[in-house]
Amino acid sequence: MIKSRGSGASTPVNGKQVTDWDTRRKRKTADITQALSASPVDVAALRRMAISEGGLLTDEIRRQVWPQLLNVPPNLLDQEPETVERENNKDYNQVLLDVQRSLRRFPPGMPDEQREGLQEELIDIILRVLKRNPQLHYYQGYHDIVVTFLLVLGERLATALVEKLSTHHLRDFMDPTMDNTKHILNYLMPIIDRVNPEVHDFMQQAEVGTVFALSWLITWFGHVLSDFRHVVRLYDFFLACHPLMPIYFAAVIVLYREEEVFDCECDMAMVHHLLSQIPQDLPYETLISRAGDLFVQFPPSELAREAVSHDNMASSTFKDFDLASTQQRPDSVLRRRRRQKQAALESSAAKSVVAVAQPSAARRFVRLAVMGLTVALGAAALAVVNTALEWAPKLDLFP
């Protein structure tokens, strides 16, 4: 488990590290240019560049690479977006309300006239995609994703990429019901359990559920991160990877905050409040690397059955709580259990609770890049395609 807190910056900031980073940055820019110039474009290399330290570096590069990561045909990128009819549009009023509330998603100091113009474009992109794809249903938080693409790409490119994203990575969030969204959230606790059973048990005893991570998932963290640089860095990562990668990233955030979780009272409201407030100084590069490691170590296919059945696990009985007296607080039991396990770990490194293997960076990036190519199905459907008939989920996370 990650113990030390980083500065939260995505790149080194001083001394010799700056020179080293500048050298790596120039080399990476050259590698991206070479991959874009290849015939055909070396998409696998671009995926590795998007995943590795620093991501795609600049918005100028993102404008060239994001369409490749989403496999958007060049002819669609050149199309001028059509005029959108707003009157009698069933989604317009809700979209308008959400966009009007999105002021903080625009750069500080942007002139009001420019921001208002972008907000109008944001409304048009959303309504345009929904009109072209009547099978898609708008959800609150969708605009947080679309505005990121608008600010990086402009209206024309954003329209094409958001439409592709909406029919692939985001498809499960845009169903008539939240069933698939709830199912994807169900992957969170099994991932945490594989890495740190004590954090998992603590959260289960607190009955905190997974709702605290809902806005993280459906906005790709765009709604909860204040620094736009961190948002686009995560988008580089998510676009290059499997559609379920955001839930792995949510898990590593929880695991990173292990000490805060254990210091919190084992109470649903207290734990939910703690986890729903994401620190803004997270070590993003470290967490991105960690999420990639966990995806390789515990792929969705391995967690599918646990995710399907996990909604019933809040009522499970844990041995520690059975042994505890009725007067003893469950958080005290968990802390004692944790101390005992730490002592055992110190005395015998061979008895590690969950030792997650760390594959080499090159191997991890290659595997993630290959896995990222499989985006033709929605995330939940892709993850459970081999078990759907056998396992019927009871999705009651939101009673």
Side-chain angles (χ1 to χ4, degrees), residues 287-312:
L287 298 183
I288 285 171
S289 178
R290 180 66 163 165
D293 289 340
L294 294 185
F295 185 92
V296 172
Q297 185 84 4
F298 310 118
S301 58
E302 184 178 319
L303 303 173
R305 293 191 177 188
E306 295 174 58
V308 165
S309 61
H310 200 81
D311 54 327
N312 291 324

PDB file of all heavy atoms in Angstrom, residues 287-312:
ATOM      1  N   LEU A 287      -0.552   7.447  -8.445  1.00  0.00           N
ATOM      2  CA  LEU A 287      -1.847   6.765  -8.401  1.00  0.00           C
ATOM      3  C   LEU A 287      -2.222   6.192  -9.764  1.00  0.00           C
ATOM      4  O   LEU A 287      -2.832   5.117  -9.846  1.00  0.00           O
ATOM      5  CB  LEU A 287      -2.937   7.732  -7.910  1.00  0.00           C
ATOM      6  CG  LEU A 287      -2.753   8.272  -6.487  1.00  0.00           C
ATOM      7  CD1 LEU A 287      -3.937   9.158  -6.100  1.00  0.00           C
ATOM      8  CD2 LEU A 287      -2.587   7.136  -5.485  1.00  0.00           C
ATOM      9  N   ILE A 288      -1.873   6.889 -10.825  1.00  0.00           N
ATOM     10  CA  ILE A 288      -2.123   6.367 -12.172  1.00  0.00           C
ATOM     11  C   ILE A 288      -1.349   5.071 -12.376  1.00  0.00           C
ATOM     12  O   ILE A 288      -1.889   4.068 -12.872  1.00  0.00           O
ATOM     13  CB  ILE A 288      -1.753   7.419 -13.234  1.00  0.00           C
ATOM     14  CG1 ILE A 288      -2.821   8.521 -13.279  1.00  0.00           C
ATOM     15  CG2 ILE A 288      -1.593   6.779 -14.612  1.00  0.00           C
ATOM     16  CD1 ILE A 288      -2.444   9.722 -14.136  1.00  0.00           C
ATOM     17  N   SER A 289      -0.090   5.079 -11.991  1.00  0.00           N
ATOM     18  CA  SER A 289       0.723   3.873 -12.115  1.00  0.00           C
ATOM     19  C   SER A 289       0.149   2.746 -11.272  1.00  0.00           C
ATOM     20  O   SER A 289       0.084   1.589 -11.706  1.00  0.00           O
ATOM     21  CB  SER A 289       2.165   4.180 -11.680  1.00  0.00           C
ATOM     22  OG  SER A 289       2.971   3.025 -11.741  1.00  0.00           O
ATOM     23  N   ARG A 290      -0.300   3.090 -10.076  1.00  0.00           N
ATOM     24  CA  ARG A 290      -0.886   2.093  -9.171  1.00  0.00           C
ATOM     25  C   ARG A 290      -2.164   1.504  -9.757  1.00  0.00           C
ATOM     26  O   ARG A 290      -2.390   0.280  -9.703  1.00  0.00           O
ATOM     27  CB  ARG A 290      -1.169   2.756  -7.828  1.00  0.00           C
ATOM     28  CG  ARG A 290      -1.781   1.856  -6.774  1.00  0.00           C
ATOM     29  CD  ARG A 290      -0.833   0.774  -6.345  1.00  0.00           C
ATOM     30  NE  ARG A 290      -1.266   0.186  -5.083  1.00  0.00           N
ATOM     31  CZ  ARG A 290      -0.806  -0.957  -4.610  1.00  0.00           C
ATOM     32  NH1 ARG A 290       0.092  -1.627  -5.305  1.00  0.00           N
ATOM     33  NH2 ARG A 290      -1.221  -1.432  -3.460  1.00  0.00           N
ATOM     34  N   ALA A 291      -3.014   2.349 -10.317  1.00  0.00           N
ATOM     35  CA  ALA A 291      -4.257   1.863 -10.917  1.00  0.00           C
ATOM     36  C   ALA A 291      -3.964   0.911 -12.070  1.00  0.00           C
ATOM     37  O   ALA A 291      -4.641  -0.119 -12.234  1.00  0.00           O
ATOM     38  CB  ALA A 291      -5.104   3.045 -11.400  1.00  0.00           C
ATOM     39  N   GLY A 292      -2.963   1.251 -12.874  1.00  0.00           N
ATOM     40  CA  GLY A 292      -2.581   0.360 -13.963  1.00  0.00           C
ATOM     41  C   GLY A 292      -2.096  -0.984 -13.457  1.00  0.00           C
ATOM     42  O   GLY A 292      -2.437  -2.040 -14.007  1.00  0.00           O
ATOM     43  N   ASP A 293      -1.305  -0.960 -12.382  1.00  0.00           N
ATOM     44  CA  ASP A 293      -0.821  -2.206 -11.791  1.00  0.00           C
ATOM     45  C   ASP A 293      -1.991  -3.071 -11.314  1.00  0.00           C
ATOM     46  O   ASP A 293      -2.008  -4.286 -11.531  1.00  0.00           O
ATOM     47  CB  ASP A 293       0.100  -1.915 -10.604  1.00  0.00           C
ATOM     48  CG  ASP A 293       1.437  -1.332 -11.037  1.00  0.00           C
ATOM     49  OD1 ASP A 293       1.800  -1.495 -12.216  1.00  0.00           O
ATOM     50  OD2 ASP A 293       2.111  -0.715 -10.193  1.00  0.00           O
ATOM     51  N   LEU A 294      -2.952  -2.446 -10.646  1.00  0.00           N
ATOM     52  CA  LEU A 294      -4.082  -3.210 -10.105  1.00  0.00           C
ATOM     53  C   LEU A 294      -4.943  -3.781 -11.221  1.00  0.00           C
ATOM     54  O   LEU A 294      -5.488  -4.883 -11.097  1.00  0.00           O
ATOM     55  CB  LEU A 294      -4.920  -2.335  -9.176  1.00  0.00           C
ATOM     56  CG  LEU A 294      -4.257  -1.874  -7.880  1.00  0.00           C
ATOM     57  CD1 LEU A 294      -5.248  -1.125  -7.002  1.00  0.00           C
ATOM     58  CD2 LEU A 294      -3.656  -3.053  -7.120  1.00  0.00           C
ATOM     59  N   PHE A 295      -5.078  -3.031 -12.318  1.00  0.00           N
ATOM     60  CA  PHE A 295      -5.873  -3.543 -13.434  1.00  0.00           C
ATOM     61  C   PHE A 295      -5.223  -4.803 -14.017  1.00  0.00           C
ATOM     62  O   PHE A 295      -5.904  -5.779 -14.345  1.00  0.00           O
ATOM     63  CB  PHE A 295      -6.020  -2.489 -14.519  1.00  0.00           C
ATOM     64  CG  PHE A 295      -6.931  -2.906 -15.642  1.00  0.00           C
ATOM     65  CD1 PHE A 295      -8.282  -2.588 -15.610  1.00  0.00           C
ATOM     66  CD2 PHE A 295      -6.451  -3.635 -16.721  1.00  0.00           C
ATOM     67  CE1 PHE A 295      -9.130  -2.991 -16.634  1.00  0.00           C
ATOM     68  CE2 PHE A 295      -7.281  -4.043 -17.743  1.00  0.00           C
ATOM     69  CZ  PHE A 295      -8.636  -3.716 -17.699  1.00  0.00           C
ATOM     70  N   VAL A 296      -3.902  -4.763 -14.147  1.00  0.00           N
ATOM     71  CA  VAL A 296      -3.189  -5.933 -14.666  1.00  0.00           C
ATOM     72  C   VAL A 296      -3.254  -7.086 -13.663  1.00  0.00           C
ATOM     73  O   VAL A 296      -3.441  -8.238 -14.038  1.00  0.00           O
ATOM     74  CB  VAL A 296      -1.724  -5.565 -14.980  1.00  0.00           C
ATOM     75  CG1 VAL A 296      -0.912  -6.810 -15.340  1.00  0.00           C
ATOM     76  CG2 VAL A 296      -1.670  -4.559 -16.127  1.00  0.00           C
ATOM     77  N   GLN A 297      -3.130  -6.768 -12.373  1.00  0.00           N
ATOM     78  CA  GLN A 297      -3.134  -7.794 -11.332  1.00  0.00           C
ATOM     79  C   GLN A 297      -4.519  -8.399 -11.145  1.00  0.00           C
ATOM     80  O   GLN A 297      -4.662  -9.625 -10.989  1.00  0.00           O
ATOM     81  CB  GLN A 297      -2.678  -7.169 -10.009  1.00  0.00           C
ATOM     82  CG  GLN A 297      -2.524  -8.164  -8.866  1.00  0.00           C
ATOM     83  CD  GLN A 297      -1.198  -8.858  -8.888  1.00  0.00           C
ATOM     84  OE1 GLN A 297      -0.348  -8.549  -9.707  1.00  0.00           O
ATOM     85  NE2 GLN A 297      -0.999  -9.809  -7.993  1.00  0.00           N
ATOM     86  N   PHE A 298      -5.551  -7.563 -11.168  1.00  0.00           N
ATOM     87  CA  PHE A 298      -6.925  -8.010 -10.918  1.00  0.00           C
ATOM     88  C   PHE A 298      -7.836  -7.516 -12.038  1.00  0.00           C
ATOM     89  O   PHE A 298      -8.602  -6.562 -11.859  1.00  0.00           O
ATOM     90  CB  PHE A 298      -7.423  -7.472  -9.574  1.00  0.00           C
ATOM     91  CG  PHE A 298      -6.484  -7.715  -8.431  1.00  0.00           C
ATOM     92  CD1 PHE A 298      -5.925  -6.654  -7.738  1.00  0.00           C
ATOM     93  CD2 PHE A 298      -6.140  -9.005  -8.053  1.00  0.00           C
ATOM     94  CE1 PHE A 298      -5.050  -6.869  -6.683  1.00  0.00           C
ATOM     95  CE2 PHE A 298      -5.260  -9.231  -6.998  1.00  0.00           C
ATOM     96  CZ  PHE A 298      -4.715  -8.162  -6.306  1.00  0.00           C
ATOM     97  N   PRO A 299      -7.765  -8.122 -13.209  1.00  0.00           N
ATOM     98  CA  PRO A 299      -8.577  -7.648 -14.344  1.00  0.00           C
ATOM     99  C   PRO A 299     -10.069  -7.810 -14.080  1.00  0.00           C
ATOM    100  O   PRO A 299     -10.478  -8.600 -13.217  1.00  0.00           O
ATOM    101  CB  PRO A 299      -8.116  -8.555 -15.496  1.00  0.00           C
ATOM    102  CG  PRO A 299      -7.583  -9.786 -14.830  1.00  0.00           C
ATOM    103  CD  PRO A 299      -6.975  -9.320 -13.538  1.00  0.00           C
ATOM    104  N   PRO A 300     -10.903  -7.055 -14.791  1.00  0.00           N
ATOM    105  CA  PRO A 300     -12.354  -7.122 -14.562  1.00  0.00           C
ATOM    106  C   PRO A 300     -12.924  -8.527 -14.659  1.00  0.00           C
ATOM    107  O   PRO A 300     -13.839  -8.880 -13.907  1.00  0.00           O
ATOM    108  CB  PRO A 300     -12.910  -6.217 -15.665  1.00  0.00           C
ATOM    109  CG  PRO A 300     -11.807  -5.263 -15.965  1.00  0.00           C
ATOM    110  CD  PRO A 300     -10.544  -6.042 -15.792  1.00  0.00           C
ATOM    111  N   SER A 301     -12.398  -9.329 -15.568  1.00  0.00           N
ATOM    112  CA  SER A 301     -12.917 -10.690 -15.720  1.00  0.00           C
ATOM    113  C   SER A 301     -12.761 -11.499 -14.442  1.00  0.00           C
ATOM    114  O   SER A 301     -13.587 -12.367 -14.132  1.00  0.00           O
ATOM    115  CB  SER A 301     -12.203 -11.400 -16.878  1.00  0.00           C
ATOM    116  OG  SER A 301     -10.804 -11.437 -16.645  1.00  0.00           O
ATOM    117  N   GLU A 302     -11.716 -11.199 -13.662  1.00  0.00           N
ATOM    118  CA  GLU A 302     -11.476 -11.911 -12.408  1.00  0.00           C
ATOM    119  C   GLU A 302     -12.403 -11.426 -11.302  1.00  0.00           C
ATOM    120  O   GLU A 302     -12.701 -12.162 -10.354  1.00  0.00           O
ATOM    121  CB  GLU A 302     -10.012 -11.715 -11.989  1.00  0.00           C
ATOM    122  CG  GLU A 302      -9.610 -12.481 -10.743  1.00  0.00           C
ATOM    123  CD  GLU A 302      -8.143 -12.289 -10.409  1.00  0.00           C
ATOM    124  OE1 GLU A 302      -7.315 -12.287 -11.344  1.00  0.00           O
ATOM    125  OE2 GLU A 302      -7.820 -12.129  -9.213  1.00  0.00           O
ATOM    126  N   LEU A 303     -12.863 -10.175 -11.407  1.00  0.00           N
ATOM    127  CA  LEU A 303     -13.690  -9.577 -10.355  1.00  0.00           C
ATOM    128  C   LEU A 303     -15.178  -9.604 -10.669  1.00  0.00           C
ATOM    129  O   LEU A 303     -15.991  -9.211  -9.839  1.00  0.00           O
ATOM    130  CB  LEU A 303     -13.261  -8.123 -10.131  1.00  0.00           C
ATOM    131  CG  LEU A 303     -11.793  -7.889  -9.760  1.00  0.00           C
ATOM    132  CD1 LEU A 303     -11.509  -6.394  -9.741  1.00  0.00           C
ATOM    133  CD2 LEU A 303     -11.458  -8.517  -8.420  1.00  0.00           C
ATOM    134  N   ALA A 304     -15.542 -10.074 -11.871  1.00  0.00           N
ATOM    135  CA  ALA A 304     -16.918  -9.919 -12.345  1.00  0.00           C
ATOM    136  C   ALA A 304     -17.936 -10.546 -11.403  1.00  0.00           C
ATOM    137  O   ALA A 304     -18.946  -9.928 -11.059  1.00  0.00           O
ATOM    138  CB  ALA A 304     -17.050 -10.509 -13.746  1.00  0.00           C
ATOM    139  N   ARG A 305     -17.682 -11.773 -10.969  1.00  0.00           N
ATOM    140  CA  ARG A 305     -18.664 -12.439 -10.108  1.00  0.00           C
ATOM    141  C   ARG A 305     -18.773 -11.766  -8.754  1.00  0.00           C
ATOM    142  O   ARG A 305     -19.870 -11.660  -8.192  1.00  0.00           O
ATOM    143  CB  ARG A 305     -18.294 -13.910  -9.941  1.00  0.00           C
ATOM    144  CG  ARG A 305     -18.422 -14.709 -11.245  1.00  0.00           C
ATOM    145  CD  ARG A 305     -18.310 -16.198 -10.997  1.00  0.00           C
ATOM    146  NE  ARG A 305     -18.509 -16.943 -12.238  1.00  0.00           N
ATOM    147  CZ  ARG A 305     -18.620 -18.260 -12.307  1.00  0.00           C
ATOM    148  NH1 ARG A 305     -18.532 -18.979 -11.196  1.00  0.00           N
ATOM    149  NH2 ARG A 305     -18.797 -18.867 -13.461  1.00  0.00           N
ATOM    150  N   GLU A 306     -17.638 -11.324  -8.219  1.00  0.00           N
ATOM    151  CA  GLU A 306     -17.677 -10.605  -6.943  1.00  0.00           C
ATOM    152  C   GLU A 306     -18.457  -9.302  -7.081  1.00  0.00           C
ATOM    153  O   GLU A 306     -19.212  -8.929  -6.184  1.00  0.00           O
ATOM    154  CB  GLU A 306     -16.263 -10.311  -6.464  1.00  0.00           C
ATOM    155  CG  GLU A 306     -15.446 -11.538  -6.113  1.00  0.00           C
ATOM    156  CD  GLU A 306     -14.017 -11.166  -5.784  1.00  0.00           C
ATOM    157  OE1 GLU A 306     -13.817 -10.354  -4.857  1.00  0.00           O
ATOM    158  OE2 GLU A 306     -13.099 -11.674  -6.451  1.00  0.00           O
ATOM    159  N   ALA A 307     -18.263  -8.620  -8.184  1.00  0.00           N
ATOM    160  CA  ALA A 307     -18.961  -7.351  -8.397  1.00  0.00           C
ATOM    161  C   ALA A 307     -20.460  -7.573  -8.492  1.00  0.00           C
ATOM    162  O   ALA A 307     -21.258  -6.784  -7.981  1.00  0.00           O
ATOM    163  CB  ALA A 307     -18.450  -6.673  -9.665  1.00  0.00           C
ATOM    164  N   VAL A 308     -20.872  -8.656  -9.143  1.00  0.00           N
ATOM    165  CA  VAL A 308     -22.290  -8.944  -9.297  1.00  0.00           C
ATOM    166  C   VAL A 308     -22.948  -9.197  -7.959  1.00  0.00           C
ATOM    167  O   VAL A 308     -24.058  -8.749  -7.696  1.00  0.00           O
ATOM    168  CB  VAL A 308     -22.473 -10.169 -10.225  1.00  0.00           C
ATOM    169  CG1 VAL A 308     -23.884 -10.716 -10.126  1.00  0.00           C
ATOM    170  CG2 VAL A 308     -22.176  -9.779 -11.660  1.00  0.00           C
ATOM    171  N   SER A 309     -22.246  -9.892  -7.078  1.00  0.00           N
ATOM    172  CA  SER A 309     -22.850 -10.296  -5.812  1.00  0.00           C
ATOM    173  C   SER A 309     -22.541  -9.346  -4.669  1.00  0.00           C
ATOM    174  O   SER A 309     -23.031  -9.536  -3.569  1.00  0.00           O
ATOM    175  CB  SER A 309     -22.365 -11.697  -5.434  1.00  0.00           C
ATOM    176  OG  SER A 309     -20.965 -11.714  -5.266  1.00  0.00           O
ATOM    177  N   HIS A 310     -21.738  -8.310  -4.924  1.00  0.00           N
ATOM    178  CA  HIS A 310     -21.217  -7.503  -3.821  1.00  0.00           C
ATOM    179  C   HIS A 310     -22.286  -6.670  -3.126  1.00  0.00           C
ATOM    180  O   HIS A 310     -22.104  -6.261  -1.987  1.00  0.00           O
ATOM    181  CB  HIS A 310     -20.103  -6.572  -4.308  1.00  0.00           C
ATOM    182  CG  HIS A 310     -19.231  -6.078  -3.193  1.00  0.00           C
ATOM    183  ND1 HIS A 310     -18.205  -6.823  -2.671  1.00  0.00           N
ATOM    184  CD2 HIS A 310     -19.264  -4.936  -2.469  1.00  0.00           C
ATOM    185  CE1 HIS A 310     -17.624  -6.157  -1.695  1.00  0.00           C
ATOM    186  NE2 HIS A 310     -18.244  -5.016  -1.560  1.00  0.00           N
ATOM    187  N   ASP A 311     -23.413  -6.444  -3.775  1.00  0.00           N
ATOM    188  CA  ASP A 311     -24.426  -5.616  -3.125  1.00  0.00           C
ATOM    189  C   ASP A 311     -25.012  -6.291  -1.900  1.00  0.00           C
ATOM    190  O   ASP A 311     -25.623  -5.644  -1.063  1.00  0.00           O
ATOM    191  CB  ASP A 311     -25.547  -5.265  -4.116  1.00  0.00           C
ATOM    192  CG  ASP A 311     -26.156  -6.492  -4.761  1.00  0.00           C
ATOM    193  OD1 ASP A 311     -25.424  -7.463  -4.969  1.00  0.00           O
ATOM    194  OD2 ASP A 311     -27.367  -6.452  -5.057  1.00  0.00           O
ATOM    195  N   ASN A 312     -24.829  -7.595  -1.756  1.00  0.00           N
ATOM    196  CA  ASN A 312     -25.327  -8.293  -0.584  1.00  0.00           C
ATOM    197  C   ASN A 312     -24.302  -8.369   0.539  1.00  0.00           C
ATOM    198  O   ASN A 312     -24.592  -8.869   1.604  1.00  0.00           O
ATOM    199  CB  ASN A 312     -25.727  -9.730  -0.971  1.00  0.00           C
ATOM    200  CG  ASN A 312     -26.955  -9.757  -1.862  1.00  0.00           C
ATOM    201  OD1 ASN A 312     -27.852  -8.946  -1.691  1.00  0.00           O
ATOM    202  ND2 ASN A 312     -26.970 -10.671  -2.816  1.00  0.00           N
TER     203      ASN A 312
END
